[in-house]
Amino acid sequence: MGRISERAGSGAQVTFTLGNHDLELTLPGPRRLLRDTLGPGRVDFLFDNEALRIGSVLIEHGNRYDGWNAVNHDS
């Protein structure tokens, strides 16, 4: 967490793309704990089927394209 904390503390935006291996961060308590651990700064979360576009680059979590790793939020 050290380098991520440094980045967030410098005023840079840190974005976590949530997927099948970090479902806990979809819950408010763990997200709050992570924000508190990282300290001041801008920390954002992208949830399932959301993407981040930076210029011409599109960043997505790969589990959305793999049925084996896809998360069924309705179950």
Side-chain angles (χ1 to χ4, degrees):
M1 288 294 187
R3 294 197 187 258
I4 296 173
S5 295
E6 289 173 19
R7 179 65 80 181
S10 73
Q13 177 180 338
V14 176
T15 303
F16 292 92
T17 305
L18 304 181
N20 60 311
H21 55 264
D22 35 30
L23 292 174
E24 296 82 3
L25 290 175
T26 64
L27 301 171
R31 279 198 316 271
R32 187 172 35 257
L33 178 61
L34 180 59
R35 283 189 170 117
D36 291 347
T37 300
L38 292 177
R42 184 165 173 204
V43 178
D44 293 322
F45 297 91
L46 296 179
F47 295 92
D48 204 32
N49 295 323
E50 293 184 325
L52 176 63
R53 182 177 296 277
I54 302 174
S56 63
V57 176
L58 182 67
I59 302 168
E60 300 178 276
H61 197 286
N63 71 298
R64 102 184 250 190
Y65 298 103
D66 181 356
W68 182 258
N69 291 309
V71 177
N72 183 352
H73 294 281
D74 294 326
S75 61

